[in-house]
Amino acid sequence: MNSAVRTTCPYCGVGCGVLAEMSGDKVEVAGDPDHPANFGRLCSKGYALGETTGLEGRLLHPHSHGHRVSWDDALTQVAQGFSRIVREHGPHAVALYVSGQLLTEDYYVANKLMKGYIGTANIDTNSRLCMASAVAGHKRAFGEDVVPGCYEDLELADLIVLVGANTAWCHPVIFQRIVRAKETRPELKVVVIDPRRTATCDVADLHLPIRSGMDVWLFNGLLRFLVQQGKLDEEFVASSTAGVADALTAATVDPAEVGRMCGIDTERILAFYRLFADTQKVVTAFSQGVNQSSAGTDKVNSIINCHLLTGRLGHPGMGPLSLTGQPNAMGGREVGGLANTLAAHMDLANPQHRGIVQTFWDSPCVASEPGHQAVDLFDALHRGEVKAVWIMATNPVVSLPDADRVREALQRCELVVVSDCVASTDTTALAHVLLPAAAWGEKDGTVTNSERRISRQRAFLPAPGEVRPDWWIICQVAQRMGFTSGFVFDTPAEIFAEHAALSGADNSGSRCFDISGLAQLDAQQYDALQPVQWPVAQAGGAAAARLFADRRFSHADRKARFVPTIPRGPAHAATEEFPLTLNTGRIRDQWHTMTRTGRAARLGEHLPEPFVDIHAHDALLAGLREGELARVATSWGSMIARVRTSGEIARGSVFVPIHWSSVFASEARVGALVNPVTDPLSGEPEFKHTPVRVEPFVVDWYGFVLARRRLAQLDVAWWSVVQGEGFSRHELAGRNTPSSWSPWARRFLDAGAPDADYLEYDDDTAGVYRSAHVIEERLESCLYISRRPELPERAWLGSLFARERLEDSDRHALLAGRPLGVPSADSGPLVCSCFRVGKGTIRRAIASHGMTDAREVSAKLRAGSNCGSCIPEIRALLAAAAREAAAGSEAPAGSEAPAA
Ligand code: SF4
């Protein structure tokens, strides 16, 4: 890729470098071998980026009240609407809800507009939902929101503790770095602390499946144990910290009590404690399982306390490491994109800081009170206190807790402005003014990843239609509101220079976040900027991989703080009505609300529909069966999902992925179910623990349609849709079986083309109906109905859409629902997205070649040899094959194995 543009992946907080270039009309991507976050690796989502850049479904022009308008009209409407409401109701009656998908330059001007010119801190970000507890925890402990370490520490550590982090699926390139480190140094130990047995447990030497919400007990117990074992770094604690006595007073639990509270036997707790105590180089990496809790900030501090007590931070191979969810959550924190922070890591509550910022901005005011935080903001909208909101690059009607109330809040709101690159989302549907924003590939600016590394995101595609960058849109609105002097920027480079200069204003080392050494970059230097970790306080100065090696923190006395963390459980416990606990999270191949990953066929195949994962015993008690549908209900809302009993979840809890919206399935927004309770310090919602009930969603039939076009108005009891390669896959379920399927199906598939062949198979007795619609020898659509959820495999049927001409044998096979006489032609459900290798293919290869190692599978089928995200699943298939073989060999002589 000689002419490739160096840019960054727009998904998770790993912040991988990407090489992107056009090849004909296709976008080709590869990992950037020179980027220090990924050294050339990408995960399945990153590799599929090229499939997400098409213009289908893009928002290309400004709209107002459903009609296309000029940019001038749209910008004037937004500016006048915001100005009028500020005039009539004051500055706190307007708000911005922004996103970790924005670039730092977009974020900077949005924050400047609100806090420095309109005069309110009513700007919050969807990053509130994933890492606000880490921010609050860092500020309490270090005096500033600082991640002390870096990714390299994972390779240098002797013990990695992963807490509430399904790294294999949510930060896959970090996971691959851990896997390789462990292959290189088998003595490296990995402990996974997670209520679920996730794919990350594939590398775990020890898995602690603690009860949801019990992390503070676990780490308080560890703190006490470390003292008892004499592991306290007395010199460091005495000279560089404060508050240890109070923290120890709060940490009174012994391992037996920890075990009881966490639901784990004492020996396993002690095994973890001993490992931690006896290993100097420990990295504790944590993510949403820690942060997304009503006690999230205390969980973060209970982890940091253990590192402070042992002095294990600031040096290679050790320290707490917050893994952020989004590509630029950290950049948003730098500019003060949260409602309770000021720009450049300064504090709203600090008059001196407000003075620095106002002087630097030369602005009419600076907000002095925290604004509404995400959940609270939509409550204020619901109450009518906030009357105008501008939502940028996020989909809160799907992603926020109590999402039905969020939808209601927007329906009540006087002025809803949405900037997005996608035309149809649950949120854009409620916008009065829609502004077309640039998408990945068209954007130019910077992002900061989880290890404080600033990278350039560079445009390599022209902006289509009337699309504009977010920073330009914000500056145009600001100028139309009369704020001309502060928003005269022609390029993102100019904004970055101002942002960098502000970080150095009156700093002198009091704030770690200082990138003033980059403030003098000219346009060419900005364009050529190499990935760099902050701080960069001197032009040309070396960046710091790790902070706090000098034992000087950002509190006024330069000491770190132990924080007493009093253990408390989740806000709401299970009840008779809602006897289980709902845990939500990401899956391997989707991102957020699927507005982009939902376009890539290869990403849709792995887990193609909304599901609820439940323990087999709980499923039995609730009358649920694998593959059938269930209604999942809480006090706040309900949804429908496919029942899955993966074996990954403990009794008493269920897991539902966060990604599905009304665009991809009926009644599938799990956000509508989530308790809106938040952590009192961080404002982060409790996404991991909502009391829930799961019950059968009874239907008369199940089915699916594969069709070249997406079907509109699916008038059935339940549906979901996912993009396949050249077709859409619709899963269906219905009540009221029609007296005859044929007319229903023909109407459904619109098989009215005069030259269409319509093939049918109808077995009324068995309740099976199948049909295929063929036009000019090509498969147009096929439909499969059954009384039972067991239906033909979709993978092989989907492959028929690539054929220019169907053979007679294909037509027969279509109605049979499987390849005839060639069993190996059906690859089964997808495992490896990169090389599109299915479960059936892998199983057959394992059986016929007697494979026992994932590397053999990779060598034979390539599965797992690229991004490696599927290796845990390949290992699970190998283990299952080994168990089956062992069971077979133990069978008494003469007995036969049951048919597969
Ligand atoms: Fe993108 Fe995957 Fe890298 Fe995350 S790990 S930045 S999703 S390529």
Side-chain angles (χ1 to χ4, degrees), residues 11 44-45 48-52 589-590 594 596-605 722-725 836:
Y11 298 131
S44 53
K45 295 184 284 288
L49 273 167
E51 295 165 39
T52 66
D589 285 359
Q590 294 296 350
M594 295 167 61
R596 287 171 293 167
T597 46
R599 295 157 170 260
R602 71 166 101 172
L603 297 181
E605 290 180 43
V722 71
Q723 185 59 45
E725 196 67 55
R836 306 188 83 112

Side-chain angles (χ1 to χ4, degrees), residues 267-290:
E267 267 317 303
R268 289 182 114 188
I269 299 285
L270 280 168
F272 166 53
Y273 286 1
R274 288 190 198 107
L275 253 182
F276 197 106
D278 295 341
T279 313
Q280 180 63 12
K281 288 188 173 180
V282 182
V283 172
T284 308
F286 59 93
S287 192
Q288 266 82 320
V290 168

Side-chain angles (χ1 to χ4, degrees), residues 250-409:
T252 54
V253 284
D254 62 24
E257 190 178 355
V258 171
R260 266 196 311 280
M261 296 307 297
C262 294
I264 296 173
D265 66 75
T266 311
E267 267 317 303
R268 289 182 114 188
I269 299 285
L270 280 168
F272 166 53
Y273 286 1
R274 288 190 198 107
L275 253 182
F276 197 106
D278 295 341
T279 313
Q280 180 63 12
K281 288 188 173 180
V282 182
V283 172
T284 308
F286 59 93
S287 192
Q288 266 82 320
V290 168
N291 296 332
Q292 291 180 331
S293 159
S294 58
T297 309
D298 277 354
K299 289 183 183 183
V300 171
N301 285 110
S302 70
I303 292 169
I304 295 175
N305 283 347
C306 295
H307 281 270
L308 289 176
L309 189 89
T310 48
R312 293 174 186 164
L313 75 172
H315 301 290
M318 61 182 76
L321 181 65
S322 151
L323 297 173
T324 54
Q326 296 194 77
N328 200 29
M330 182 80 90
R333 288 144 73 170
E334 293 159 10
V335 304
L338 291 159
N340 54 328
T341 61
L342 196 50
H345 281 201
M346 286 183 264
D347 284 325
L348 276 172
N350 183 327
Q352 192 198 349
H353 285 177
R354 291 202 303 274
I356 294 169
V357 173
Q358 188 171 359
T359 304
F360 183 89
W361 280 344
D362 192 20
S363 66
C365 55
V366 131
S368 56
E369 299 288 326
H372 291 297
Q373 301 177 356
V375 172
D376 180 30
L377 168 60
F378 283 84
D379 259 354
L381 279 160
H382 201 274
R383 293 193 301 272
E385 277 169 42
V386 174
K387 297 172 189 304
V389 64
W390 184 356
I391 297 164
M392 298 179 196
T394 184
N395 196 359
V397 176
V398 179
S399 52
L400 274 171
D402 200 5
D404 286 344
R405 187 172 159 86
V406 170
R407 179 184 272 160
E408 261 177 35

Side-chain angles (χ1 to χ4, degrees), residues 478-502:
Q479 290 182 18
R480 279 168 170 77
M481 291 181 77
F483 307 131
T484 47
S485 62
F487 297 90
V488 186
F489 297 108
D490 290 325
T491 63
E494 293 171 9
I495 301 172
F496 183 82
E498 183 177 307
H499 162 57
L502 175 56

Side-chain angles (χ1 to χ4, degrees), residues 700-718:
D700 295 330
W701 56 266
Y702 296 83
F704 69 89
V705 175
L706 310 182
R708 287 195 186 272
R709 64 194 165 77
R710 183 171 165 168
L711 303 179
Q713 295 176 351
L714 293 162
D715 187 18
V716 291
W718 174 85

